[in-house]
């Protein structure tokens, strides 16, 4: 079985370094072969692409823009009345993805509007999301890109987020029925919302296009204290034949490089060329 491939999430790792190009270089020096970033839009895509090339890294995931964060927006895909803004943001994300050679875009669903009842607006928000996803699938297919749906837990991280379980996301993907839309599995969120990780990973992995990891509940390194047994989970992903990237989307408890001891141990066991560094 092939070893897992890991991606450094530059929105979380190397926070001591200013700017994405510096974080790209640090990821390359740490042995990563890929990076991902939530919102690269503050940097010119050419500068980020140049840094990635110089470091020998691929950029494998970005998100659609969040919308107006001052008004509490966190994605627009399912937000009624924001369809035009979602499409504008999608166009921006596609421009960046093409410039960066990035094959995947997380299509952020967004939050239940302030003051609204989640149950009361669920049907309307799902209808908006389906409309936007069908549009996005067509736009992405023209550029040979993949769109991802990520459930985000509503118990700790974002109580107002619309898409919060793998079951909900999988049902929406089935309704849209486009092969270039897939599921993004953040194990941190899945554990908090549903647990049953072995069963859920086996059930949903065939439609998963990207994986992210962090310990629960503190969202630290996989080796930090918490609920999850990552050596078991990594082995499960290998056994189930997962071929995509595993994004390191966690909050380092100290120095990022020192905190990567868990990854160096994994590489050592699997014969990675950076294991001895």
């Amino acid at each position: 079985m092939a070893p897992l491939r890991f991606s450094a999430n530059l929105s979380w790792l190397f926070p001591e370094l200013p700017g994405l190009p510096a974080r790209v270089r640090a990821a390359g020096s740490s042995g990563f072969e890929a990076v991902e970033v939530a919102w690269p839009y503050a940097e010119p895509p050419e500068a980020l692409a140049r840094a990635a090339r110089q470091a020998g890294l691929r950029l494998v995931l970005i998100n659609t823009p969040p919308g107006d964060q001052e008004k509490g927006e966190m994605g627009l895909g399912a937000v009624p009345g924001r369809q035009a803004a979602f499409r504008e943001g999608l166009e921006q994300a596609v421009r960046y993805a093409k410039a960066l050679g990035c094959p995947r875009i997380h299509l952020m669903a967004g939050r239940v509007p302030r003051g609204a009842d989640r149950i009361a607006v669920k049907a309307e928000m799902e209808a908006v999301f389906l409309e936007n996803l069908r549009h996005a699938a067509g736009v992405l297919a023209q550029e040979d890109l993949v769109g991802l749906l990520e459930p985000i837990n509503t118990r700790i991280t974002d109580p107002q987020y619309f898409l919060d379980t793998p079951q909900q996301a999988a049902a929406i993907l089935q309704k849209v029925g486009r092969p270039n839309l897939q599921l993004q599995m953040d194990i941190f969120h899945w554990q908090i919302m549903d647990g049953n990780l072995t069963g859920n990973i086996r059930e949903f992995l065939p439609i998963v296009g990207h994986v992210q990891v962090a310990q629960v509940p503190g969202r630290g390194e996989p080796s930090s204290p918490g609920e999850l047994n990552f050596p078991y989970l990594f082995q499960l992903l290998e056994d189930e034949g997962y071929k995509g990237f595993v994004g390191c989307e966690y909050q380092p408890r100290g120095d990022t490089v020192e905190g990567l001891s868990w990854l160096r141990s994994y590489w050592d066991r699997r014969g990675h060329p950076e294991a001895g560094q």
Side-chain angles (χ1 to χ4, degrees), residues 11 52 109 147 152 164 202:
S11 300
I152 294 176
D164 64 353
R202 286 176 172 159

Side-chain angles (χ1 to χ4, degrees), residues 120-236:
V121 300
K122 181 178 180 180
E124 180 187 8
M125 293 191 70
E126 181 173 305
V128 170
F129 204 18
L130 291 172
E131 173 193 341
N132 281 333
L133 290 175
R134 291 186 181 105
H135 170 79
V139 171
L140 295 174
Q142 292 177 2
E143 305 294 344
D144 197 25
L145 298 172
V146 171
L148 299 175
L149 274 61
E150 180 189 17
I152 294 176
N153 83 81
T154 49
R155 289 186 169 143
I156 296 176
T157 302
D158 196 335
Q160 291 301 109
Y161 205 74
F162 172 70
L163 192 71
D164 64 353
T165 69
Q167 292 82 4
Q168 180 191 11
I172 288 173
L173 285 172
Q174 187 173 26
K175 290 177 182 178
V176 178
R178 302 295 176 88
N180 66 328
L181 298 185
Q182 299 176 347
L183 187 58
Q184 183 169 321
M185 177 175 70
D186 189 322
I187 289 176
F188 172 80
H189 296 305
W190 287 30
Q191 167 68 5
I192 290 170
M193 289 304 295
D194 195 54
N196 188 32
L197 288 178
T198 299
N200 282 335
I201 288 172
R202 286 176 172 159
E203 178 179 358
F204 295 114
L205 200 61
I207 60 170
V208 167
H210 193 73
V211 172
Q212 292 174 326
V213 295
Q215 187 55 272
V216 176
R219 210 166 190 178
E221 293 93 341
S223 57
S224 60
E227 301 173 11
L228 299 181
N229 179 348
F230 275 100
Y232 168 82
L233 293 172
F234 292 154
Q235 187 63 54
L236 177 64

Side-chain angles (χ1 to χ4, degrees), residues 21 43-52:
E43 301 270 0
E46 296 78 14
L48 193 52
R50 183 168 55 252

